[in-house]
Amino acid sequence: GSGVAGLTAALRCAAAGRRTVVVTKARLDDGSTRWAQGGIAAALGTDDTPEQHLTDTLVAGAGLCDEAAVRTLVTEGPAAVHRLIGSGARFDTAPGTDEIALTREGGHHRRRIAHAGGDATGAEISRALVEAVRTAALRTVENALVLDLLTDAAGRTAGVTLHVMGEGQHDGVGAVHAPAVILATGGMGQVFSATTNPAVSTGDGVALALRAGAEVSDLEFVQFHPTVLYLGPDAEGQQPLISEAVRGEGAHLVDADGVRFMAGRHELAELAPRDIVAKAIMRRAHEQGVDHMYLDARHFGAEMWRNRFPTILAACRDHGIDPVTEPIPVAPAAHYASGGVRTDLYGRTTVPGLYACGEVACTGVHGANRLASNSLLEGLVFAERIAADIVSGTAPKLTYGDDDGGT
């Protein structure tokens, strides 16, 4: 995989002198990371602390988070974000300052979401990391579908088999032989008829882990994002996301009569944790015999829409909706796999030498419901921890075919 988790781990391993190969299902920037709109959560503000971030994460996780994993995430998160900036990522700053601009999203009691390009945070992070990978001249194999884990006689990881679907010298079935394999294959949203996930998110990493005998956990906790652009009852595949940051900036959820139905249901109203908002939308829709609600942000005005949410504005207008002058039809859709391949605090799975990071992993951070914008942070923090664990070991060198590029 080649999202924030995979590329961060690869860059850290390569920087420490480990021979590293990045294998990815499509192009380097075709995963879920570049679709992330809202941002990356971390206690970066002067009025915020990791302890407050911890509390919000535990509440959102509905009592099923691993507190040690959450504490690792929120404590190491701020420094990891600054290292990401050091790698070339450019976040939006407050007007007239060099301070990172922070916003709020659902479940957060503080403004702690750093964003880029208004609502194009993932695209900026992906750009920076892909550029860093190319600058470092890491070996990459694109358009490669991972098949199975290779193991040695002792049951330890020995690499992966691949079906390379692109053109070039690696076209066909082959293998990467390695003493450590990091699964960073993303989620499985395409299992559902409507999702925010790109076409590549089909659960390949979890399937590989299961075939290899690795333990998985919490696969039942698939988060549905409350506000996805509603394109009709027959719409399938990837649907346009309407970021939670829109509500963080003051948009209201309303029914067809303009009634705000989240007010009084939760102390945070529209900014309640995602599971609560998604359920409230579906309950209201059921009560009224309809299949969607509306997000009203007309009070933002045209200039704020253009500057703060240009990606969402363009997506809405592409589908004939102008959020400057009309409410946006929204409904929940499959968004994030909170469970996955079970790991410890260093990304180690139950198969020696096999690691998992990002959405494919179950670190225990998310519990039953991921707190908004903790996903990019989890990929970042645990990728660094995985790289540190690999580098501290004495694993033999990785090999990829022979010297002339064959497999």
Side-chain angles (χ1 to χ4, degrees), residues 13-34:
C13 286
R18 288 291 190 267
R19 189 175 174 212
T20 307
V21 171
V22 176
V23 175
T24 194
K25 187 174 179 179
R27 306 299 292 180
L28 279 180
D29 64 349
D30 276 342
S32 292
T33 290
R34 75 179 177 94

Side-chain angles (χ1 to χ4, degrees), residues 19 47 69 95 119 121 139 157 164 171 173 212-213 274 322 338 360 395:
R19 189 175 174 212
D47 65 339
D119 58 358
T121 311
R139 190 163 193 176
T157 294
V164 185
D171 192 24
V173 176
R274 289 177 177 175
D322 188 352
S338 295
V360 70

Side-chain angles (χ1 to χ4, degrees), residues 222-239:
V222 175
Q223 181 181 81
F224 276 59
H225 198 288
T227 53
V228 176
L229 184 62
Y230 180 74
L231 300 178
D234 298 323
E236 294 185 349
Q238 186 177 9
Q239 313 289 301

Side-chain angles (χ1 to χ4, degrees), residues 13-96:
C13 286
R18 288 291 190 267
R19 189 175 174 212
T20 307
V21 171
V22 176
V23 175
T24 194
K25 187 174 179 179
R27 306 299 292 180
L28 279 180
D29 64 349
D30 276 342
S32 292
T33 290
R34 75 179 177 94
W35 294 99
Q37 294 175 349
I40 184 167
L44 300 168
T46 56
D47 65 339
D48 198 8
T49 65
E51 199 67 28
Q52 291 172 313
H53 191 182
L54 172 83
T55 298
D56 286 346
T57 301
L58 294 177
V59 169
L64 291 176
C65 298
D66 179 330
E67 186 168 341
V70 178
R71 192 170 295 280
T72 298
L73 178 81
V74 301
T75 302
E76 299 181 8
V81 171
H82 284 293
R83 283 191 289 274
L84 179 62
I85 294 171
S87 297
R90 299 186 292 265
F91 290 95
D92 297 336
T93 56

Side-chain angles (χ1 to χ4, degrees), residues 32-185:
S32 292
T33 290
R34 75 179 177 94
W35 294 99
Q37 294 175 349
I40 184 167
L44 300 168
T46 56
D47 65 339
D48 198 8
T49 65
E51 199 67 28
Q52 291 172 313
H53 191 182
L54 172 83
T55 298
D56 286 346
T57 301
L58 294 177
V59 169
L64 291 176
C65 298
D66 179 330
E67 186 168 341
V70 178
R71 192 170 295 280
T72 298
L73 178 81
V74 301
T75 302
E76 299 181 8
V81 171
H82 284 293
R83 283 191 289 274
L84 179 62
I85 294 171
S87 297
R90 299 186 292 265
F91 290 95
D92 297 336
T93 56
T97 75
D98 293 328
E99 297 293 321
I100 297 174
L102 301 174
T103 190
R104 279 183 67 196
E105 292 183 3
H108 293 273
H109 283 77
R110 291 287 184 273
R111 296 179 76 87
R112 66 169 65 99
I113 316 300
H115 49 83
D119 58 358
T121 311
E124 170 58 17
I125 290 173
S126 182
R127 179 207 64 78
L129 291 175
V130 169
E131 187 174 300
V133 163
R134 288 175 174 153
T135 299
L138 266 68
R139 190 163 193 176
T140 61
V141 183
E142 297 178 293
N143 301 304
L145 179 66
V146 69
L147 300 176
D148 284 297
L149 188 73
L150 295 173
T151 55
D152 61 19
R156 182 178 176 83
T157 294
V160 290
T161 55
L162 309 170
H163 180 194
V164 185
M165 300 172 285
E167 298 179 354
Q169 62 180 347
H170 297 312
D171 192 24
V173 176
V176 177
H177 299 281
V181 169
I182 305 168
L183 294 177
T185 54

Side-chain angles (χ1 to χ4, degrees), residues 196-216:
T196 62
N197 290 187
V200 294
S201 297
T202 53
D204 304 20
V206 171
L208 177 147
L210 284 169
R211 290 195 295 271
E215 292 183 14
V216 300

